[in-house]
Amino acid sequence: AASAADALADARELYGAGGLEDAEAVLERAVDLERSASSKAALLKLLGDVRVDAAGTSAQSRANFSSLRANACVFEGKWSYEATLGSSGIMQLGWCTARCPFTRENGVGDAPDSFAFDGHRVRKWNVSSQPYGKAWVAGDVITCTIDLSPGPEGGTVSYHRNGVPLGVAFDN
């Protein structure tokens, strides 16, 4: 996974020379938006034919390849999010830097600065793929965790399926 230093460099690049202070202001704004259920969809970047409900808590792809990316920055500590699957289809869930290209052909896991898990194909992705995890089914809750803490415990990306750890998918 990307180091905390890399993530901070990304924040500085995105938010100017003020970097950390500006990134903290953006994160505070994101927290404010998150408190408003009707504003949750404003935190998302969509590519392709993706429908998001008014609360910003449910998304549905209506095309062969669509992408959805949260517009929030994490650069230190341990972070997780959960996705409840509406189907058992091909999806890549994970983490990426702001530099990760999202196109009609590429999304999370398809670039060097992104890491993903696909439970339909039972593989982890970081440009290429390797076997990982267990097959998912509709209704499963997938937890995606990134640990950017310094030291031997940090620098990892891991996943859980219905609360059961699948192990570390990526590490430094």
Short mmCIF file of all heavy atoms in Angstrom, two decimals, residues 85-110:
data_model
loop_
_atom_site.label_atom_id
_atom_site.label_comp_id
_atom_site.label_asym_id
_atom_site.label_seq_id
_atom_site.Cartn_x
_atom_site.Cartn_y
_atom_site.Cartn_z
N LEU A 85 -23.17 -5.93 -1.15
CA LEU A 85 -23.26 -6.27 -2.56
C LEU A 85 -24.69 -6.56 -2.98
O LEU A 85 -25.38 -7.35 -2.34
CB LEU A 85 -22.38 -7.48 -2.87
CG LEU A 85 -20.91 -7.35 -2.46
CD1 LEU A 85 -20.16 -8.63 -2.83
CD2 LEU A 85 -20.27 -6.14 -3.09
N GLY A 86 -25.10 -5.94 -4.07
CA GLY A 86 -26.43 -6.18 -4.62
C GLY A 86 -26.44 -7.34 -5.60
O GLY A 86 -27.50 -7.83 -5.98
N SER A 87 -25.25 -7.77 -6.03
CA SER A 87 -25.13 -8.92 -6.92
C SER A 87 -23.80 -9.62 -6.63
O SER A 87 -22.98 -9.11 -5.87
CB SER A 87 -25.17 -8.48 -8.39
OG SER A 87 -23.92 -7.95 -8.80
N SER A 88 -23.60 -10.74 -7.27
CA SER A 88 -22.32 -11.46 -7.11
C SER A 88 -21.41 -11.19 -8.30
O SER A 88 -20.42 -11.89 -8.49
CB SER A 88 -22.57 -12.96 -6.96
OG SER A 88 -23.21 -13.46 -8.13
N GLY A 89 -21.71 -10.18 -9.08
CA GLY A 89 -20.99 -9.90 -10.32
C GLY A 89 -19.57 -9.40 -10.15
O GLY A 89 -19.06 -9.26 -9.04
N ILE A 90 -18.95 -9.13 -11.29
CA ILE A 90 -17.57 -8.64 -11.32
C ILE A 90 -17.54 -7.21 -10.83
O ILE A 90 -18.18 -6.33 -11.40
CB ILE A 90 -16.99 -8.74 -12.75
CG1 ILE A 90 -16.87 -10.21 -13.15
CG2 ILE A 90 -15.64 -8.04 -12.83
CD1 ILE A 90 -16.43 -10.42 -14.58
N MET A 91 -16.81 -6.99 -9.74
CA MET A 91 -16.60 -5.67 -9.15
C MET A 91 -15.21 -5.67 -8.55
O MET A 91 -14.75 -6.71 -8.09
CB MET A 91 -17.60 -5.39 -8.03
CG MET A 91 -19.03 -5.32 -8.46
SD MET A 91 -20.11 -5.24 -7.02
CE MET A 91 -20.68 -6.94 -6.96
N GLN A 92 -14.56 -4.54 -8.56
CA GLN A 92 -13.27 -4.40 -7.90
C GLN A 92 -13.42 -3.32 -6.84
O GLN A 92 -13.66 -2.16 -7.15
CB GLN A 92 -12.17 -4.06 -8.91
CG GLN A 92 -11.87 -5.23 -9.83
CD GLN A 92 -10.89 -4.93 -10.93
OE1 GLN A 92 -10.91 -5.62 -11.94
NE2 GLN A 92 -10.02 -3.94 -10.79
N LEU A 93 -13.32 -3.73 -5.57
CA LEU A 93 -13.45 -2.82 -4.44
C LEU A 93 -12.08 -2.59 -3.84
O LEU A 93 -11.31 -3.54 -3.67
CB LEU A 93 -14.36 -3.44 -3.37
CG LEU A 93 -15.78 -3.80 -3.81
CD1 LEU A 93 -16.50 -4.50 -2.67
CD2 LEU A 93 -16.52 -2.57 -4.25
N GLY A 94 -11.76 -1.34 -3.51
CA GLY A 94 -10.46 -1.12 -2.92
C GLY A 94 -10.11 0.33 -2.67
O GLY A 94 -10.98 1.14 -2.38
N TRP A 95 -8.82 0.62 -2.85
CA TRP A 95 -8.24 1.91 -2.50
C TRP A 95 -7.36 2.40 -3.65
O TRP A 95 -6.74 1.60 -4.34
CB TRP A 95 -7.37 1.79 -1.25
CG TRP A 95 -8.16 1.37 -0.05
CD1 TRP A 95 -8.36 0.10 0.39
CD2 TRP A 95 -8.87 2.22 0.85
NE1 TRP A 95 -9.15 0.11 1.52
CE2 TRP A 95 -9.47 1.41 1.82
CE3 TRP A 95 -9.04 3.61 0.93
CZ2 TRP A 95 -10.24 1.91 2.86
CZ3 TRP A 95 -9.80 4.11 1.97
CH2 TRP A 95 -10.39 3.28 2.91
N CYS A 96 -7.30 3.72 -3.82
CA CYS A 96 -6.43 4.29 -4.85
C CYS A 96 -5.99 5.68 -4.42
O CYS A 96 -6.58 6.28 -3.53
CB CYS A 96 -7.13 4.35 -6.20
SG CYS A 96 -8.53 5.50 -6.26
N THR A 97 -4.94 6.17 -5.07
CA THR A 97 -4.52 7.55 -4.84
C THR A 97 -5.32 8.46 -5.76
O THR A 97 -6.02 8.00 -6.67
CB THR A 97 -3.01 7.75 -5.14
OG1 THR A 97 -2.81 7.62 -6.55
CG2 THR A 97 -2.15 6.74 -4.37
N ALA A 98 -5.19 9.74 -5.54
CA ALA A 98 -5.87 10.71 -6.39
C ALA A 98 -5.34 10.67 -7.83
O ALA A 98 -6.04 11.08 -8.75
CB ALA A 98 -5.71 12.12 -5.82
N ARG A 99 -4.14 10.18 -8.02
CA ARG A 99 -3.54 10.10 -9.36
C ARG A 99 -4.05 8.91 -10.16
O ARG A 99 -3.78 8.81 -11.35
CB ARG A 99 -2.02 9.99 -9.24
CG ARG A 99 -1.37 11.23 -8.73
CD ARG A 99 0.16 11.06 -8.77
NE ARG A 99 0.74 11.98 -7.82
CZ ARG A 99 1.63 11.66 -6.92
NH1 ARG A 99 2.08 10.44 -6.83
NH2 ARG A 99 2.11 12.56 -6.09
N CYS A 100 -4.73 7.98 -9.54
CA CYS A 100 -5.20 6.78 -10.23
C CYS A 100 -6.17 7.16 -11.35
O CYS A 100 -7.17 7.82 -11.10
CB CYS A 100 -5.90 5.85 -9.23
SG CYS A 100 -6.60 4.38 -9.99
N PRO A 101 -5.86 6.75 -12.59
CA PRO A 101 -6.76 7.10 -13.69
C PRO A 101 -8.04 6.28 -13.66
O PRO A 101 -7.99 5.06 -13.48
CB PRO A 101 -5.93 6.78 -14.93
CG PRO A 101 -4.98 5.72 -14.48
CD PRO A 101 -4.71 5.98 -13.03
N PHE A 102 -9.15 6.94 -13.76
CA PHE A 102 -10.44 6.27 -13.91
C PHE A 102 -10.94 6.58 -15.30
O PHE A 102 -11.21 7.73 -15.64
CB PHE A 102 -11.43 6.75 -12.85
CG PHE A 102 -11.39 5.98 -11.57
CD1 PHE A 102 -10.22 5.87 -10.84
CD2 PHE A 102 -12.51 5.32 -11.10
CE1 PHE A 102 -10.16 5.15 -9.67
CE2 PHE A 102 -12.47 4.59 -9.93
CZ PHE A 102 -11.29 4.50 -9.21
N THR A 103 -11.00 5.54 -16.14
CA THR A 103 -11.46 5.70 -17.52
C THR A 103 -12.54 4.66 -17.77
O THR A 103 -12.90 3.90 -16.87
CB THR A 103 -10.30 5.47 -18.51
OG1 THR A 103 -9.93 4.08 -18.46
CG2 THR A 103 -9.10 6.34 -18.17
N ARG A 104 -13.01 4.60 -18.98
CA ARG A 104 -14.00 3.59 -19.33
C ARG A 104 -13.39 2.19 -19.38
O ARG A 104 -14.09 1.20 -19.48
CB ARG A 104 -14.66 3.93 -20.66
CG ARG A 104 -15.50 5.17 -20.57
CD ARG A 104 -16.53 5.22 -21.67
NE ARG A 104 -17.33 6.42 -21.56
CZ ARG A 104 -18.43 6.52 -20.84
NH1 ARG A 104 -18.85 5.48 -20.16
NH2 ARG A 104 -19.11 7.64 -20.80
N GLU A 105 -12.07 2.10 -19.30
CA GLU A 105 -11.38 0.81 -19.33
C GLU A 105 -10.66 0.45 -18.03
O GLU A 105 -10.33 -0.70 -17.82
CB GLU A 105 -10.36 0.80 -20.48
CG GLU A 105 -10.97 1.02 -21.84
CD GLU A 105 -11.96 -0.06 -22.24
OE1 GLU A 105 -11.72 -1.24 -21.93
OE2 GLU A 105 -12.98 0.28 -22.85
N ASN A 106 -10.36 1.45 -17.19
CA ASN A 106 -9.57 1.21 -15.99
C ASN A 106 -10.21 1.84 -14.77
O ASN A 106 -10.78 2.93 -14.85
CB ASN A 106 -8.16 1.78 -16.15
CG ASN A 106 -7.38 1.02 -17.19
OD1 ASN A 106 -7.16 -0.18 -17.06
ND2 ASN A 106 -6.96 1.72 -18.24
N GLY A 107 -10.06 1.16 -13.65
CA GLY A 107 -10.55 1.66 -12.37
C GLY A 107 -9.64 1.18 -11.27
O GLY A 107 -8.47 0.88 -11.50
N VAL A 108 -10.17 1.09 -10.07
CA VAL A 108 -9.36 0.68 -8.92
C VAL A 108 -8.80 -0.72 -9.15
O VAL A 108 -9.50 -1.62 -9.60
CB VAL A 108 -10.17 0.78 -7.61
CG1 VAL A 108 -11.30 -0.23 -7.55
CG2 VAL A 108 -9.27 0.64 -6.39
N GLY A 109 -7.49 -0.86 -8.89
CA GLY A 109 -6.80 -2.13 -9.08
C GLY A 109 -6.12 -2.26 -10.43
O GLY A 109 -5.29 -3.14 -10.62
N ASP A 110 -6.44 -1.37 -11.36
CA ASP A 110 -5.87 -1.46 -12.70
C ASP A 110 -4.64 -0.59 -12.90
O ASP A 110 -4.03 -0.63 -13.96
CB ASP A 110 -6.94 -1.08 -13.74
CG ASP A 110 -8.11 -2.04 -13.73
OD1 ASP A 110 -7.87 -3.26 -13.55
OD2 ASP A 110 -9.25 -1.58 -13.87
#
